Amino acid sequence: MCGIVGFVGQREAAPILLDGLSRLEYRGYDSAGVAVVSPQKGIDVRKAKGRLQVLSDMLHGGADMQGRIGIGHTRWATHGAPNDVNSHPHLSEGGKFAVIHNGIIENYVEIKEFLINQGVHFRSETDTEVVAQLLEFYYNECHDFFDAVGRVLRRIEGAYALGMLCADCPDRIIAARKDAPLLIGYGEGENFIASDVTALLPYTREVTYMEDGEVAVLTTDGVAVYDALQQRIAKERCHIDWEVSSAEKGGYPHFMLKEIFEQPEALRRAISPRLKGGKVVFEDMKLTAEQIRAFSRVYIVACGSSYHVGMLGKYTLEHLTRRSVEVCLASEFRYSDPIVDDHTLVIVISQSGETLDTMAALREAKARGAYILSIVNVVGSSIARESDDVLYTWAGPEIAVATTKAYSTQLAVLDMIGLAFGEALGTVDGAEYAQVVSELEKLPEKMETVLAHHEDIQKFASEHFNHNSIFFIGRNLDYALGLEGSLKLKEISYIHSEAYASGELKHGTISLIEEGTLVVALGTYDKLFDKAMSNVVEVKARGADVLALTTESHRAEMEKTVSNVLTVPDTAAMLLPSLGVVPLQLFAYYVALQRGCDIDKPRNLAKSVTVE
Ligand code: F6R
């Protein structure tokens, strides 16, 4: 949430900052701003409410600002309405400091009162402005930029990734991090900060992830990183091998559509290296079979779509390991006094690896002694770094706010964990293991055949985009799949939608079904197909318009009752949701397209949720 970028070098800063922000806009798009500093003119700040394009047009792509060092920000509003004044960068009253911030300063009210009593005048309603004002306040005492930053960091509480400029030190940016992502990029005679590596792909692939409590001083000549005690420390660099093109639309109208179509390839990357000689082999996992056998409790903890992957994982892990698995929303887990000890495994799922709720749950579980195995997409992200073990999904950068390829690869990795654990525990049936492995190998190809039928889904969406409310129903795996289909639809098309376990309908919800209500009935799970059919008949009897999703082998039977039937190829039962999710993603996409929604940047949302 909120994207930040900083540049110091020999080139004009503003165009680079705007370009970097354009790759971070998915983190927040309420407003945007940049500040550059030059020895002659001091700090120049420009900002504008709305999308980055508004600011970029206002600055003629950055040509209107002169200065070779600067910071930029794209905002997801927390404190204060999205308007020009509340946009970052924030300037101190005397104009000496400019600050960009991602996170929340929790004790800002108290600091603001203190500064007001000292005669400081505030302009905005934000928590961030206190950082700029406090910097100037301390600087007036100590006359040293670095020292003033140290004093500010000791005074503020909360989460922050900060980029700071000082008019008296026009050769440097100071950056600081606590509980919000921030990385340093190393170029030739130029250096960068950014919330996310995608901002830096055209400029450098050599990066360092800052840790909590660290402060960095960036100049043209180099970067010095200090720990919380202000001792200089050496940092390891990592090389990022993502292509620039992977963070661009590549001819697709939206990132979301591109990422939906990238799923077969992403699945190949997640699956192929981990299947060897008919077995699941996690060379990248440290857990031993002995450790797996010693766990007495297993949790899966995540948010949003990653939580939906966890719901599916519960069904498959319990089936394959015969151990009970609890799936928890990360935001609830940390406050639920969870029963966790050193015989507990917590599987944490996160695309971004930066979701604050998930991170907090991870820390809570770790503090209670749990072993943390995470499934993460972004290499080197906070969750990956703080886990005991991490399995990467290798989905490549996901830019659209609504997740698609990350979901699919998380699911494949979790399925493989189920197989590996089942084998370690001796609980998985040999024939089933062999069948699932063989079907995992074919999964990307089968997904391609589902994608090939995208026009059928587009046609259906063009006839059904005007509903006020849509229901998804299914049982077991199909229920968990319905939750994801429903979330996709509501987040990008703004249509109210609910997912129900079909058997639960008659306990209350069926009262909402009336003539013309659209019900998406999921009946892919062979074992429960007859039950799914009964529920379809029930809703049809009450006037529902049904779109059914089933397998090829059940198409004919479904068509006897339902005229709109989508199918996926037959595969192992536990892999059906991996195929079934694709038509649901496409349905949400095409409905949102028909309704003229801003698909990649839905209202009120942001890609990486780094506030609680
Ligand atoms: C929905 C979506 C969100 C995320 C959730 C967790 O399309 O993308 O629900 O799944 O915010 O994010 P990560 O996986 O980055 O922790």
Side-chain angles (χ1 to χ4, degrees), residues 303-306 350-352 355 358 401-403 410 487-488 491 609:
C303 302
S305 293
S306 298
S350 176
Q351 184 284 127
S352 61
T355 303
T358 312
V401 164
T403 183
Q410 288 167 349
L487 178 62
K488 280 293 85 95
E491 69 181 322
V609 187

Side-chain angles (χ1 to χ4, degrees), residues 302-308 349-356 358 375 378 383 398 400-404 406-407 410 484 487-488 491-492 605-609:
C303 302
S305 293
S306 298
Y307 169 77
H308 295 155
I349 310 176
S350 176
Q351 184 284 127
S352 61
E354 300 292 350
T355 303
L356 189 69
T358 312
I375 302 174
V378 178
I383 289 175
E398 194 178 62
V401 164
T403 183
T404 51
Y407 171 96
Q410 288 167 349
E484 177 60 8
L487 178 62
K488 280 293 85 95
E491 69 181 322
I492 62 168
L605 292 172
K607 183 78 185 156
S608 179
V609 187

Side-chain angles (χ1 to χ4, degrees), residues 292 295-301 314 317-318 321 323-328 333 339 343-347 414 417 421 425:
I292 294 168
F295 291 127
S296 57
R297 198 171 277 120
V298 178
Y299 288 95
I300 303 178
V301 177
K314 174 184 166 69
L317 259 73
E318 287 189 340
T321 68
R323 298 281 194 284
S324 107
V325 175
E326 214 176 307
V327 195
C328 298
F333 178 86
I339 303 170
H343 289 293
T344 305
L345 171 69
V346 175
I347 302 176
L414 199 51
I417 289 176
F421 280 26
L425 294 165

Side-chain angles (χ1 to χ4, degrees), residues 192 202 218 292 386 462 487 517 561:
F192 306 81
L218 292 90
I292 294 168
E386 293 200 22
S462 69
L487 178 62
T517 304
T561 314

Side-chain angles (χ1 to χ4, degrees), residues 308-309 312-313 406-416 574 577-578:
H308 295 155
V309 170
L312 288 164
Y407 171 96
S408 292
T409 50
Q410 288 167 349
L411 190 51
V413 172
L414 199 51
D415 286 338
M416 289 188 284
M574 61 181 257
S578 295

